[in-house]
Structure formats: C-alpha cells, structure tokens
C-alpha cells in the first residue's frame, strides 16, 4: 500500500505526522481534500480489519536479522547456543528456542536445565 504519512522526531514535542506532499503540519493541512482524508481513513480501516482478523503481525525483528538458538535437549544431550538468521517460519519459536539476544538464550537455557 502507498504510504500516506511520515513521522519525524521533533525536540520536546510528539512525533509529527506529515502529509506526503512535504508540508510539515501539526494539523490536517488545508490543501488536503476530502478524498485525501478518505484515503487515509480507508487505509487505517484496512489495517484495523487485518488486525481484527489476526492477519497483521508485528515481527520481533526484521527477517534475516541475526538471532540466537538453543541446539540440543537440556538434561539429555549437551546444549549449545549458536547464531542463525531469523525467518518467518521461526515466529512461533521466539522465546522458546530462538532469542533476539545471546543473554536471553543463556537465561532460557539455565531455566531449562533446572527443570
């Protein structure tokens, strides 16, 4: 979908939403037509529909980000922590056998060993 807004950081103020024609405004720019406003609202409604249907997912990191995984079975085989690249198919493994940081993986491995 076409992006209709942008965010820029401003010191000591909230993010600024900018209409893509380049005008930096805190309010709806006067030159925005009703059709422009309808387009923004339609896009928002589309995203809300996807979220309600369970089809909009916020990923914990970008695909192909380096992550850490636990290899082995605690208390049965030696376990190691190694690096891999995050894939969409890993989404249900985050926090179980795949972790965003080595520290998270080490903490989980210690928990698994104590069970």
């Amino acid at each position: 979908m076409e992006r209709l807004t942008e965010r820029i950081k401003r010191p000591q103020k909230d993010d600024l939403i900018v209409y893509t024609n380049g005008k930096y405004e805190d309010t709806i720019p006067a030159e925005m037509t009703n059709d422009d406003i309808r387009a923004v609202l339609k896009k928002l409604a589309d995203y809300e529909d996807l979220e309600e249907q369970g089809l909009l997912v916020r990923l914990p990191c970008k695909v192909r980000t380096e992550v850490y995984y636990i290899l082995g079975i605690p208390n049965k085989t030696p376990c190691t922590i190694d690096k891999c690249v995050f894939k969409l198919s890993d989404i249900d493994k985050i926090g179980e056998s795949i972790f965003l940081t080595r520290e998270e993986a080490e903490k989980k491995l210690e928990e698994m060993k104590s069970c």
Side-chain angles (χ1 to χ4, degrees):
M1 280 194 224
E2 175 190 353
R3 185 164 182 97
L4 301 175
T5 61
E6 294 179 33
R7 290 186 186 271
I8 62 170
K9 295 285 185 189
R10 299 183 305 169
Q12 301 164 351
K13 290 196 174 188
D14 293 335
D15 288 355
L16 179 64
I17 298 174
V18 181
Y19 183 58
T20 55
N21 68 3
K23 296 274 187 184
Y24 300 106
E25 301 280 348
D26 283 334
T27 59
I28 296 173
E31 61 274 2
M32 265 186 97
T33 67
N34 283 340
D35 287 342
D36 294 332
I37 294 168
R38 274 192 209 92
V40 171
L41 292 174
K42 181 186 180 318
K43 186 169 182 178
L44 174 60
D46 290 344
Y47 278 116
E48 289 176 335
D49 290 346
L50 291 170
E51 185 176 32
E52 285 176 355
Q53 296 166 21
L55 298 173
L56 187 64
V57 177
R58 183 175 297 245
L59 298 176
C61 61
K62 290 182 180 180
V63 172
R64 293 189 291 277
T65 296
E66 193 172 81
V67 293
Y68 298 86
Y69 69 98
I70 297 173
L71 181 64
I73 303 169
N75 303 321
K76 293 186 182 180
T77 63
C79 293
T80 60
I81 296 172
D82 206 352
K83 294 180 185 178
C84 65
V85 175
F86 179 75
K87 303 176 298 237
L88 285 177
S89 60
D90 294 330
I91 191 73
D92 60 336
K93 299 173 191 165
I94 292 288
E96 296 298 319
S97 60
I98 294 183
F99 305 88
L100 301 180
T101 66
R102 183 171 187 86
E103 293 76 25
E104 290 174 352
E106 290 170 349
K107 182 179 176 184
K108 181 65 172 187
L109 185 55
E110 286 304 313
E111 288 174 13
M112 293 167 77
K113 285 180 180 178
S114 66
C115 291

